[in-house]
Amino acid sequence: MNLQKLFELQKQLDEHIYEEHPVQDGEDRLAKKILALQVELGELANEWRGFKYWSKDQEPRIKDYKQTKCKWCNGSGDDGTGVCPDCRCEGDVYKEYNPLLEEYVDCLHFILSIGLEMETKKEWGHSFKIGSSIISQFHALFGELSSLFYYNQMYNYQRAFDLLIGLGEMLGFTWEQIEQSYLQKNRINHEQQNNGY
């Protein structure tokens, strides 16, 4: 697991975001990042669905298709040479994606960004806490994030980080899947900043 690489990529994205959206007077950007992570964690739980005791559909959302526009021809089917060589179609592309992994990676972006904000040392020994169940892991992570907001201690950050990595393991993701998805989402995040998101 190359955490240093991910922290460096996140640092570049954060710098890009700060250029587009400078910190305002009196703004507590760290508090906003912690809340954003909690929101993304809730979205991750929603895609996991295992807590929805009232529903017969409690299977995680791990495969879906969404219609996207080809990034080369923007849906026209023609990149200027006749037929777009990338999508080779009329421009609308159906791309398979994993909503559960996508939400997990959104959480990873925010936990890395919080660590950069807190100027964390990345040398601590990771234990990747794993609770007795996925539900207990979610609860522990939400609790640790609340403690991080109130106490702003490196200990709370490190535990939250470990809990998030452990949650990814419990959800069945390999580090290779996580890293690949992170790299894809990181590119999208940069593009969004370039396009006035």
Side-chain angles (χ1 to χ4, degrees):
M1 176 184 318
N2 189 347
L3 290 176
Q4 188 63 41
K5 174 183 175 184
L6 296 187
F7 271 106
E8 186 54 43
L9 289 170
Q10 188 63 45
K11 180 180 179 189
Q12 293 168 14
L13 177 60
D14 284 358
E15 288 170 353
H16 192 174
I17 292 170
Y18 280 108
E19 286 174 14
E20 298 294 323
H21 307 280
V23 175
Q24 303 299 308
D25 288 338
E27 179 184 2
D28 187 347
R29 188 66 59 101
L30 180 60
K32 289 181 177 181
K33 288 180 181 184
I34 293 170
L35 180 57
L37 176 51
Q38 289 172 317
V39 169
E40 292 297 339
L41 191 59
E43 291 177 7
L44 175 63
N46 198 47
E47 295 296 346
W48 172 62
R49 300 188 60 82
F51 68 95
K52 297 187 177 193
Y53 63 89
W54 61 88
S55 175
K56 292 182 180 179
D57 180 10
Q58 295 184 25
E59 291 301 313
R61 300 294 189 246
I62 58 172
K63 186 183 272 189
D64 202 351
Y65 295 90
K66 63 181 174 181
Q67 187 174 359
T68 61
K69 297 286 186 189
C70 172
K71 68 179 179 176
W72 301 110
C73 68
N74 195 29
S76 70
D78 181 357
D79 70 345
T81 63
V83 176
C84 179
D86 190 56
C87 67
R88 300 188 195 290
C89 68
E90 299 302 316
D92 290 330
V93 178
Y94 286 92
K95 176 182 164 191
E96 183 180 322
Y97 76 110
N98 182 332
L100 188 67
L101 180 57
E102 193 169 291
E103 293 299 342
Y104 179 81
V105 166
D106 287 345
C107 294
L108 183 59
H109 272 87
F110 280 110
I111 198 81
L112 292 168
S113 184
I114 290 166
L116 291 166
E117 184 97 8
M118 294 181 69
E119 299 180 356
T120 183
K121 304 282 188 280
K122 297 161 222 33
E123 295 85 27
W124 78 87
H126 302 289
S127 56
F128 307 140
K129 309 291 185 209
I130 296 180
S132 59
S133 69
I134 291 175
I135 288 176
S136 69
Q137 192 82 355
F138 271 111
H139 278 293
L141 187 47
F142 272 112
E144 209 59 61
L145 291 171
S146 292
S147 294
L148 178 60
F149 171 75
Y150 286 111
Y151 304 115
N152 198 9
Q153 297 291 320
M154 186 57 64
Y155 168 80
N156 300 115
Y157 172 77
Q158 291 170 348
R159 280 200 31 91
F161 188 96
D162 288 350
L163 286 163
L164 182 64
I165 298 299
L167 180 60
E169 182 179 319
M170 294 173 84
L171 292 173
F173 303 136
T174 66
W175 185 251
E176 292 75 27
Q177 288 175 307
I178 293 168
E179 192 167 11
Q180 179 68 26
S181 186
Y182 177 88
L183 295 173
Q184 290 171 350
K185 188 63 186 277
N186 191 274
R187 281 191 295 273
I188 291 169
N189 288 341
H190 275 288
E191 289 171 9
Q192 287 176 332
Q193 291 303 309
N194 290 335
N195 296 322
Y197 181 73

